[in-house]
Amino acid sequence: ATLSDPHQVQRFLREAEVAAKLVSPGVVQVLEVGTTSGEVPFIAMERLRGFDLAHHLRRQRTLGLPQVVALIQQLAIGLEAARAAGIVHRDLKPHNLFLAERDGQLSWKILDFGVSKLEHNQGTLTQGHVVGTPAYMAPEQARGENVDYRADVYALAAIVYRALTGHPAFTGKDVPSTLYDVVYKQPTQPSQLAQLPSDLDRVLAIGLAKNVGDRFQSATEFAQALAAAAAGELPQPLRRRAEDLLGKFPWGVRL
């Protein structure tokens, strides 16, 4: 059925073209893209052994803070490569993050660029539609607006929230209610759901900011702030920035 749908085939090939441009230890490597003699398109990727983050969170519900810091530091490398290539993933979530094992070493990799977009190209296979996964979708994405790499930074923060607290930032009864909450509601304070340093609340307040300009401006900046908060060394300017944000938009309120 998928092969008879030109849109689906186009999306498949587009994912291959986008992913093939990225060479980074934080992104799954695409080895070859092509079509078989039977006109079946294919992507040959590096073989990964292991499980995705969703699997790990089903098994143990939360990850420890050091694990989450390492996760985000590794993913930030992949997202910086995407940003340098002008690519916005738009669907970062636990199912698309894979903990791969090779030669006894573990490393996180980003999968599935199927709904990605080139940052300066308004043309997209999903134009006119809200794309992504509601619980990890930035507010501007939920409104169907054009997005840049800061939507991916927001998704990273939503993944951290889920991995540390055991709860998604937003859980509506259906897709429309979840999207409404993403746009108009602040999530529950993370440290009310799990034992976390107060600086983690502050970092997530910035990472999950509704206004794109209030967020961390790169995945690397977010990763550095997260590591600093975990070590009890969050710079005072970031603390003040978070407190200013929370003064305007406290945890748990409807905007």
Side-chain angles (χ1 to χ4, degrees):
T2 299
L3 287 175
S4 65
D5 182 345
H7 180 87
Q8 292 290 338
V9 173
Q10 189 182 8
R11 177 184 162 182
F12 178 91
L13 292 173
R14 183 174 177 279
E15 174 184 351
E17 292 167 1
V18 170
K21 294 178 182 177
L22 297 177
V23 180
S24 167
V27 177
V28 64
Q29 184 180 1
V30 174
L31 305 174
E32 186 179 356
V33 179
T35 306
T36 68
S37 57
E39 296 301 308
V40 177
F42 70 87
I43 304 176
M45 294 183 289
E46 65 175 312
R47 184 175 184 180
L48 300 179
R49 299 180 186 276
F51 298 95
D52 62 27
L53 178 59
H55 169 89
H56 290 288
L57 291 175
R58 282 194 300 271
R59 289 187 64 194
Q60 57 192 79
R61 191 166 177 82
T62 63
L63 299 182
L65 186 50
Q67 288 176 285
V68 173
V69 170
L71 161 72
I72 298 304
Q73 287 174 329
Q74 292 179 44
L75 296 180
I77 295 170
L79 284 180
E80 282 300 294
R83 181 166 79 119
I87 296 166
V88 186
H89 189 286
R90 296 201 300 179
D91 195 23
L92 291 174
K93 58 185 176 182
H95 285 92
N96 285 340
L97 307 177
F98 196 94
L99 184 58
E101 181 180 357
R102 175 177 287 179
D103 301 326
Q105 299 294 314
L106 295 174
S107 61
W108 287 99
K109 293 182 180 286
I110 301 169
L111 311 178
D112 191 3
F113 281 80
V115 298
S116 61
K117 68 181 282 286
L118 298 177
E119 191 172 354
H120 301 296
N121 181 3
Q122 297 303 313
T124 168
L125 293 181
T126 50
Q127 194 163 18
H129 301 279
V130 174
V131 298
T133 302
Y136 300 95
M137 195 181 291
E140 64 273 19
Q141 197 171 349
R143 291 192 295 263
E145 298 172 1
N146 191 42
V147 300
D148 63 21
Y149 56 88
R150 292 171 293 184
D152 288 344
V153 177
Y154 177 98
L156 274 190
I159 288 163
V160 170
Y161 187 106
R162 165 65 185 88
L164 288 176
T165 68
H167 301 270
F170 299 102
T171 53
K173 64 182 184 297
D174 51 31
V175 169
S177 61
T178 302
L179 292 176
Y180 181 90
D181 285 351
V182 166
V183 176
Y184 295 110
K185 187 180 176 184
Q186 287 284 75
T188 301
Q189 185 172 345
S191 60
Q192 289 185 357
L193 300 172
Q195 282 195 312
L196 296 170
S198 57
D199 277 346
L200 257 296
D201 286 347
R202 296 183 176 99
V203 168
L204 287 174
I206 298 172
L208 295 171
K210 302 295 188 192
N211 185 330
V212 66
D214 289 335
R215 271 176 233 150
F216 295 106
Q217 298 299 290
S218 73
T220 298
E221 187 185 354
F222 174 61
Q224 290 170 343
L226 186 69
E233 299 171 354
L234 191 67
Q236 202 58 40
L238 280 181
R239 287 195 177 112
R240 286 195 296 269
R241 179 175 161 189
E243 293 302 327
D244 288 345
L245 259 180
L246 290 168
K248 299 174 193 170
F249 309 114
W251 293 113
V253 303
R254 288 199 176 274
L255 309 183

